[in-house]
Amino acid sequence: MEKMIEKASVLIEALPYIRKFYGKTIVIKYGGHAMVDEDLKNNFARDIVLLKYVGINPIIVHGGGPQIGDMLKKLNIQSTFVSGMRVTDKETMNVVEMVLVGLVNKNIVSLINRNGGKAIGLSGKDGNLILAEKLFIEEDSFYKTPEIIDLGHVGKVKSVNSDVLNLISKDYIPVIAPVGIGEDSEPYNINADLVAGAVASAVGAEKLILLTDVKGVLDKDGNLISSLSVSEIEDLKNNNIIYGGMLPKMDSVKSALLGGVKKVHIIDGRILHSVLLEIFTDKGIGTQIVL
């Protein structure tokens, strides 16, 4: 009886959040360990189906770095990274597209559908969903002079066709692979965090949730920072507290918030039901970031 009462209490706690987010769109960047561990994968799919059934419109943007890395290794293709982004030549781009669009995306769609949802897989090429342009990185060289680095087929989001997503998300769950199409019709590998931020802004999402393999944003002592503002991000970057793979996440956070998204959450995807815990509980988990 106590367990039944406890379950009822959980539902009561969730009720105001279900009411608050009913009919709203939440963009979720799905990546890291949550995409590898079988138990986490299945429970993530169920959680997304639950969101849809209680009247929330989830849009999934997924990564696939480890899967791309595994395939490149099998094909004996070397990878290098600059500022957390994979340098992508034409050969690597072919592998990226094959893995993200042909393998990872379809596996996620299949898993959601198998758990009672109705998901549709998309890449940036579909309906010109994500128009991209080449991304250049500026870094300081040894002599402290700016160096412009060409990352090859690595892009940034120029625009998102929100009409496509608004139409699909009424009845289906969009699952987006972060491959964009350039005006030159060339495909571009885009960091999934950046795509998620751009998508969230384009559709007027209530929230953007980024799943990671850490607790959230950590301070210099490794402790979780539960709440941040955009103005504090630059200080953390300048002090090398935020670096590496967290850099594109912060760029995603800033673009989303400046684009009208109300809140961004960076949470630990290794925790079972992490998305539900963030959305439907009083305390939430991870780091909350606001303007």
Side-chain angles (χ1 to χ4, degrees), residues 30 34-49 104-119 173 175:
Y30 180 43
M35 286 181 61
V36 179
D37 182 275
E38 289 300 321
D39 195 29
L40 290 174
K41 284 164 59 177
N42 277 294
N43 280 283
F44 175 82
R46 292 191 195 104
D47 293 349
I48 296 305
V49 173
V104 176
N105 186 275
K106 302 315 171 192
N107 284 344
I108 297 168
V109 168
S110 177
L111 199 55
I112 291 173
N113 291 344
R114 199 186 318 155
N115 280 279
K118 295 191 296 182
I173 300 168
V175 180

Side-chain angles (χ1 to χ4, degrees), residues 87-210:
V87 178
T88 307
D89 58 17
K90 191 173 183 63
E91 186 180 27
T92 303
M93 187 65 227
N94 290 335
V95 175
V96 167
E97 198 165 3
M98 176 181 69
V99 172
L100 288 180
V101 181
L103 179 62
V104 176
N105 186 275
K106 302 315 171 192
N107 284 344
I108 297 168
V109 168
S110 177
L111 199 55
I112 291 173
N113 291 344
R114 199 186 318 155
N115 280 279
K118 295 191 296 182
I120 291 182
L122 301 165
S123 82
K125 290 183 172 182
D126 297 312
N128 286 328
L129 177 61
I130 302 170
L131 186 62
E133 58 187 2
K134 183 185 278 285
L135 176 66
F136 295 93
I137 295 293
E138 183 178 305
E139 287 199 336
D140 287 338
S141 69
F142 178 77
Y143 296 103
K144 302 299 180 184
T145 56
E147 179 184 3
I148 304 299
I149 301 172
D150 185 342
L151 300 174
H153 284 263
V154 175
K156 60 182 178 179
V157 179
K158 186 175 182 181
S159 63
V160 174
N161 187 345
S162 59
D163 290 342
V164 172
L165 293 175
N166 290 332
L167 181 64
I168 291 174
S169 62
K170 288 179 181 178
D171 299 305
Y172 296 90
I173 300 168
V175 180
I176 304 169
V179 173
I181 186 76
E183 291 181 345
D184 53 4
S185 296
E186 289 289 331
Y188 284 92
N189 177 23
I190 309 176
N191 180 277
D193 295 311
L194 299 180
V195 172
V199 167
S201 296
V203 300
E206 184 78 9
K207 284 179 182 285
L208 168 62
I209 298 175
L210 306 175

